Amino acid sequence: MAETTMPALPLADIHLPETPGVWPLAWGWWLTIVLTVIAVAYLAMVIVKRRRQNVARREALNRLAVLKSPDDFNQLNLLLRQVAMSYHSRAEVAGLTGQPWLSFLDQHLEERDRGFISLSEVWQQGLFSPAPLEKEQFAMCYQQAKKWIRKANFHCMPNVSKESGNV
């Protein structure tokens, strides 16, 4: 058998398409970018709002650190009242005294953190007795006040910045 060679065909070289580039982005990436920007903006707004709402708390904690002696008990009670008025209307807080005031303070704490009513007798003694409280009594009231400033839960805080300068 005779071997026949096929003549070379006049074919052009194979050209592969270019590798796809990064740009323009596919619609899925655009959607991811938009959702990420929205999430970051929302998170920033939440953080700013929370910081603004806690201005009175931070200032009150700074002022609380100065109150060290049983002679400062009236300033301690005044500080709690100022913080309360920073988050609630003056009409709602200013008229509260005695048991209603202590109940108001306890209402803004979770059940496990409440203690103003149980300290009622000591609290009244500190406010109205001419003799200052003993150091242990003051320490209990101080710790309860500190807990309230740090943990009080104010659900309705429409315009906190309006009166936060009261502290």
Side-chain angles (χ1 to χ4, degrees):
M1 267 214 217
E3 226 176 275
T4 60
T5 45
M6 295 189 69
L9 298 173
L11 298 176
D13 288 337
I14 298 175
H15 294 285
L16 297 175
E18 288 186 33
T19 306
V22 175
W23 200 258
L25 294 176
W27 67 270
W29 284 109
W30 282 109
L31 181 64
T32 303
I33 290 169
V34 168
L35 291 177
T36 302
V37 167
I38 289 171
V40 168
Y42 177 74
L43 184 62
M45 286 176 20
V46 167
I47 290 171
V48 167
K49 182 180 178 184
R50 182 165 293 205
R51 288 192 54 80
R52 202 175 303 141
Q53 287 176 341
N54 287 322
V55 167
R57 284 183 207 263
R58 287 192 304 272
E59 179 65 24
L61 288 170
N62 290 338
R63 290 189 184 189
L64 182 67
V66 176
L67 306 176
K68 299 284 186 192
S69 108
D71 295 329
D72 297 330
F73 187 80
N74 284 329
Q75 284 82 14
L76 180 69
N77 189 56
L78 179 63
L79 182 62
L80 291 176
R81 195 169 289 279
Q82 289 172 332
V83 172
M85 281 194 272
S86 295
Y87 293 102
H88 291 281
S89 70
R90 188 173 297 275
E92 185 179 354
V93 176
L96 296 174
T97 58
Q99 288 295 101
W101 168 240
L102 298 176
S103 294
F104 172 85
L105 294 173
D106 270 345
Q107 286 173 357
H108 290 90
L109 289 173
E110 290 186 20
E111 190 69 37
R112 69 176 187 271
D113 294 324
R114 293 179 180 174
F116 285 99
I117 295 297
S118 63
L119 289 172
S120 177
E121 190 175 310
V122 175
W123 205 269
Q124 297 303 325
Q125 179 186 348
L127 287 174
F128 300 114
S129 174
L133 293 175
E134 294 182 21
K135 285 190 176 201
E136 297 81 27
Q137 292 173 319
F138 178 76
M140 290 186 310
C141 293
Y142 181 90
Q143 289 304 318
Q144 187 63 31
K146 184 175 183 179
K147 187 184 301 183
W148 188 83
I149 291 170
R150 293 180 70 216
K151 295 183 176 184
N153 189 5
F154 300 110
H155 291 292
C156 303
M157 296 185 281
N159 293 327
V160 173
S161 60
K162 174 176 73 170
E163 294 190 37
S164 61
N166 292 340
V167 176

